[in-house]
Amino acid sequence: MQPASDVPRVGCPKRMVFGPCGGVRDDGRCELNEDPCVFLSDPLVRWPGPPVQPRTPSTLLDRATHAPVVLADLSVIPFDPASVRRVVDVLAPVADGLLVGEHANRPDFPPTMFAAEVIGAGGRVWTTLACRDRNRVVLEQELAGLAAVGVDGVLCVTGDGRGASVRPGVTQVFDLDGIRLAGLAAGMGLPVAVPESPEAPPVELRPARVAEKQRAGAQLCVLNHVSSPARVAAFVEAARGAGATLPFIAGVAVYTDEPSARVLQRFPGLRLDGAVVERVLAAPDPRVAGIAAAVAEARALLAIPGVVGVNLSGTGSSSGVDDGAQVKAEVAALLRGAL
């Protein structure tokens, strides 16, 4: 039999032990079916045993102890090393770290290979590793590979569920959930970040989830987008009250046209300030307005105690990954001038 701490919750399609995930819908329904999330009515599942202590240093985490840091999403053309080199060349000079995401509808090179490409191009990489498409053995292999190529850290996530229209017939694994993956990564010595969605149900449990993720070995929490800096401040304060002492990086929505804004608004667990979105899209020059809005949001978030950096998140532009990189680089450069 599996130990009690490793037995998935009955009825959870993601086979989570330490739920809920960040994709719970506003009405409490599961991301993957029409049933209520099975974690909504029960007490939070606690991390068993002593806290896991990571051992490997991280340049981003070290810098964050001295000054605010900028982590930028790395959006590239899938399976295209030349695209990786172009985008890294634009972002690496102005960002403290580059975050490689993982998307159900946009697969790319395996994480270790992708990280090696980014490092080879001169980027400092944080790699997102998701449980959706890998069993425990493959996750262990990827963690070992990421440590070997020298990533600055790994963002451990359960992973968004694949919609019925995305690669129908392809299975979803979920051997582990994000917290168990964080414990595994920390136990292997990697610097570990974890996500949290402050405004996804059940809102009242999420601050304490951060404390449990820290007990599993997390050194950093990357927050999904929320509707206002005030909500971030309230969440960080609540997480501190629940026992979390790790630093936070807050998500900054970067968009300069309607497609790049709407894709963020549709993403599970994310919230954007709708009034700001519409003001940007109605501006005479949405590109200038979008960059200004991202800079203003970032500055407000960096003023919150406990927030040590921002994550420039989103594609930035619907005109291609190279243009999106230029948008995020301009936001980062403007922030650097103000810090």
Side-chain angles (χ1 to χ4, degrees):
M1 292 179 61
Q2 293 175 300
S5 62
D6 213 28
V7 177
R9 180 68 60 88
V10 174
C12 176
K14 294 185 178 182
R15 305 180 67 245
M16 295 186 73
V17 174
F18 297 95
C21 72
V24 182
R25 303 185 210 183
D26 289 347
D27 60 4
R29 285 180 298 150
C30 173
E31 176 190 359
L32 291 175
N33 59 41
E34 298 302 312
D35 299 326
C37 171
V38 296
F39 289 96
L40 291 188
S41 59
D42 293 333
L44 185 68
V45 181
R46 303 291 179 179
W47 179 258
V52 179
Q53 298 296 333
R55 302 181 300 273
T56 306
S58 159
T59 300
L60 180 77
L61 291 172
D62 181 62
R63 288 185 179 181
T65 64
H66 306 293
V69 294
V70 175
L71 183 66
D73 278 6
L74 193 69
S75 299
V76 300
I77 298 171
F79 306 111
D80 188 340
S83 175
V84 174
R85 291 191 291 271
R86 290 196 308 270
V87 173
V88 170
D89 189 56
V90 171
L91 288 174
V94 291
D96 298 287
L98 303 176
L99 180 61
V100 174
E102 195 160 63
H103 310 280
N105 63 342
R106 196 168 69 247
D108 209 319
F109 290 124
T112 298
M113 181 180 176
F114 200 151
E117 291 285 346
V118 176
I119 293 168
R124 184 175 295 106
V125 62
W126 278 73
T127 295
T128 302
L129 192 59
C131 304
R132 175 187 56 247
D133 298 320
R134 301 177 184 90
N135 67 19
R136 187 187 301 250
V137 172
V138 178
L139 289 168
E140 291 170 352
Q141 292 172 327
E142 288 290 354
L143 288 171
L146 292 170
V149 301
V151 297
D152 201 47
V154 58
L155 176 64
C156 296
V157 305
T158 301
D160 303 311
R162 184 182 289 105
S165 63
V166 180
R167 299 294 299 272
V170 174
T171 59
Q172 304 188 76
V173 182
F174 295 116
D175 254 10
L176 299 176
D177 53 37
I179 296 185
R180 288 183 288 163
L181 179 60
L184 182 61
M188 295 176 68
L190 281 158
V192 175
V194 290
E196 193 51 78
S197 301
E199 293 190 290
V203 173
E204 67 280 1
L205 289 185
R206 295 196 178 273
R209 285 194 84 226
V210 176
E212 296 307 313
K213 291 179 180 184
Q214 183 173 348
R215 287 177 56 81
Q219 297 166 276
L220 177 69
C221 183
V222 181
L223 297 178
N224 278 335
H225 303 288
V226 299
S227 55
S228 72
R231 296 298 297 268
V232 172
F235 182 82
V236 172
E237 183 178 3
R240 291 284 184 260
T245 60
L246 48 57
F248 291 83
I249 285 183
V252 170
V254 184
Y255 53 89
T256 55
D257 50 33
E258 184 161 4
S260 59
R262 301 306 183 205
V263 70
L264 284 173
Q265 288 181 312
R266 290 193 297 266
F267 207 84
L270 272 60
R271 302 287 185 277
L272 270 61
D273 186 327
V276 174
V277 172
E278 300 311 316
R279 186 164 65 245
V280 167
L281 298 183
D285 189 336
R287 186 186 185 91
V288 171
I291 291 171
V295 171
E297 182 182 19
R299 289 175 177 170
L301 290 167
L302 289 171
I304 298 170
V307 173
V308 301
V310 291
N311 171 212
L312 305 183
S313 174
T315 60
S317 166
S318 64
S319 297
V321 297
D322 295 283
D323 188 52
Q326 293 289 345
V327 168
K328 283 180 274 193
E330 187 167 344
V331 173
L334 289 169
L335 281 174
R336 292 231 170 273
L339 298 177

